[in-house]
Amino acid sequence: MLTRRHIRVKVMQSLYAFNQSQNDNLATEEKFLLKSMQEMYDLFLLQLSLITEIREHAEVYLEKSQQKHLATNEEKDPNRKFIDNQIFQILNENESIQKALEDHKINHWKQDDEYVAIIWNEIRNSELYSEYMNTREGSFKDDKELIIQIFKEIIAPNEKLYDYLEDKKLTWVDDLPLVNTAALKFLQKLKESTGREKQIARLFKNDEDREFALKLFQKTYLNDEDLSEEMLGKTPNWDKDRIAEVDMVLIKMAICEFLKFSSIPVKVTINEYLEIAKEYSTPKSSIFINGVLDKLSKEYQTEGKLNKMGRGLM
């Protein structure tokens, strides 16, 4: 689920928090980094579980409508198209999802079901739902498209859900865009014939990505003084106190990648940190960081400090 850019963001956030706390226990901070990434995965599972919980609310709603004393013919014989949506069935029968929910103890919506009710009511009153329920017959394509649009237009931007997640874990607010994108991609890849067997995305694509997160954190932190010295003279007209602290962290991480990670191309490193700066720092940060990193990379190449392995890594 996590890309290298997302890993870099998590490392940046951990290093920034480490600097703010002035903690000198590296092992503790490494655990914090891993916990932070694991909690992001919990949020991913939580968002997927929300979809199936909506179905449960919809079914209860129909049952109550049928039990009305003066139920209409439509209420007595309701359209079950939404409840029978094939995506709900696939998610409920997917063993990898159910095991992950159990392993990570994701049962929030059983305790805080009022938020599921809020989402269900918005769905029920939406044009998406109205158009979908115009007929009683559907197809897998229609079922899948409805759930994707519900997720994009109702679940992802819902402010009350956003407030709930912020109250549960403050870090989830920053994680939400990435998590929603990952959940959306998972839904988009579901197929009628293989949906129940599709393995849910893991937190890390492979063991190398997990090691990259830890090594980038460790090497940047342990070489902090040396990395600071590398910046000397490379920030003309900028006093140290005027440089945003996030920018300082990002530049140090990039220099660390230049010098300590032989398999990562220089251009990849520069592009990644410029994109992160655009999202997490000041409006002018990417221009500033680009100038520093471009100058440093050229100097390192001239001095033979870029120990990059493989073709095209300069």
Side-chain angles (χ1 to χ4, degrees), residues 4 6 12 25 31 68 81 83 99 102 146 154 188 196 198 205 248 255 262 274 281 284 301 306:
R4 286 288 178 103
H6 304 136
M12 178 269 290
N25 190 325
K31 289 179 181 178
K68 286 181 180 178
K81 185 178 178 182
I83 292 173
K99 186 177 186 305
E102 183 178 347
L146 175 74
I154 297 176
Q188 290 168 337
R196 292 167 182 80
K198 180 173 176 56
K205 183 173 63 177
M248 291 283 285
I255 296 172
S262 59
L274 292 186
S281 197
K284 295 183 179 180
Q301 187 168 357
L306 290 176

Side-chain angles (χ1 to χ4, degrees), residues 88-102:
F88 293 138
Q89 188 175 359
I90 285 175
L91 294 178
N92 277 323
E93 294 179 1
N94 187 298
E95 292 183 4
S96 70
I97 293 178
Q98 297 309 314
K99 186 177 186 305
L101 292 173
E102 183 178 347

Side-chain angles (χ1 to χ4, degrees), residues 28-29 32 57 78 91 97 100 105 129 138 145 175 182 184 206 232 243 271:
T28 299
E29 295 303 323
F32 173 81
H57 271 254
L91 294 178
I97 293 178
K105 297 179 174 59
Y129 181 80
E145 183 62 24
D175 297 337
L184 190 59
N206 49 45
L232 291 176
I243 301 175
N271 289 339

Side-chain angles (χ1 to χ4, degrees), residues 286-298:
S286 61
I287 298 173
F288 169 66
I289 291 174
N290 184 51
V292 174
L293 296 184
D294 183 61
K295 187 173 183 178
L296 277 171
S297 64
K298 289 175 180 176

Side-chain angles (χ1 to χ4, degrees), residues 122-134 146 154:
E122 287 199 24
I123 292 170
R124 185 166 57 85
N125 294 315
S126 69
E127 289 186 16
L128 280 173
Y129 181 80
S130 178
E131 291 175 6
Y132 176 77
M133 298 295 283
N134 271 337
L146 175 74
I154 297 176

Side-chain angles (χ1 to χ4, degrees), residues 105-312:
K105 297 179 174 59
I106 303 298
N107 58 3
H108 299 56
W109 305 125
K110 300 296 183 187
Q111 303 167 15
D112 301 317
D113 63 345
E114 65 267 29
Y115 293 94
V116 187
I118 289 170
I119 298 295
W120 159 238
N121 285 329
E122 287 199 24
I123 292 170
R124 185 166 57 85
N125 294 315
S126 69
E127 289 186 16
L128 280 173
Y129 181 80
S130 178
E131 291 175 6
Y132 176 77
M133 298 295 283
N134 271 337
T135 65
R136 292 192 174 222
E137 299 296 326
S139 65
F140 178 81
K141 180 181 177 182
D142 291 340
D143 287 353
K144 179 178 172 180
E145 183 62 24
L146 175 74
I147 300 302
I148 287 174
Q149 291 305 315
I150 283 174
F151 191 87
K152 290 168 66 175
E153 297 180 24
I154 297 176
I155 295 176
N158 189 275
E159 292 185 4
K160 290 182 180 178
L161 182 61
Y162 179 95
D163 291 340
Y164 167 78
L165 295 173
E166 184 178 29
D167 287 341
K168 281 294 180 182
K169 280 190 176 66
L170 189 59
T171 56
W172 275 354
V173 175
D174 287 334
D175 297 337
L176 197 55
L178 160 65
V179 167
N180 282 341
T181 299
L184 190 59
K185 286 181 179 179
F186 182 82
L187 294 172
Q188 290 168 337
K189 289 180 180 179
L190 290 178
K191 295 181 179 179
E192 186 172 9
S193 58
T194 59
R196 292 167 182 80
E197 289 77 37
K198 180 173 176 56
Q199 291 295 306
I200 192 171
R202 296 186 300 167
L203 176 60
F204 295 104
K205 183 173 63 177
N206 49 45
D207 292 339
E208 286 78 9
D209 279 358
R210 184 181 186 279
E211 286 301 307
F212 171 70
L214 288 173
K215 287 182 178 178
L216 182 59
F217 180 82
Q218 293 165 353
K219 290 178 182 293
T220 304
Y221 172 72
L222 294 173
N223 293 281
D224 184 74
E225 290 186 12
D226 292 339
L227 295 172
S228 294
E229 287 184 11
E230 293 291 332
M231 292 177 59
L232 291 176
K234 307 302 185 301
T235 55
N237 304 319
W238 287 84
D239 296 329
K240 184 178 179 181
D241 292 341
R242 290 179 57 210
I243 301 175
E245 194 162 351
V246 170
D247 294 355
M248 291 283 285
V249 172
L250 291 175
I251 292 171
K252 288 176 183 177
M253 288 172 64
I255 296 172
C256 185
E257 284 192 27
F258 285 164
L259 303 177
K260 308 291 184 181
F261 291 80
S262 59
S263 64
I264 301 177
V266 170
K267 287 183 179 179
V268 169
T269 293
I270 293 176
N271 289 339
E272 289 289 280
Y273 287 103
L274 292 186
E275 290 303 315
I276 294 171
K278 289 176 184 176
E279 186 169 354
Y280 289 92
S281 197
T282 66
K284 295 183 179 180
S285 289
S286 61
I287 298 173
F288 169 66
I289 291 174
N290 184 51
V292 174
L293 296 184
D294 183 61
K295 187 173 183 178
L296 277 171
S297 64
K298 289 175 180 176
E299 286 187 10
Y300 291 157
Q301 187 168 357
T302 301
E303 296 167 3
K305 288 185 177 181
L306 290 176
N307 185 27
K308 298 294 182 181
M309 299 170 60
R311 301 177 65 180

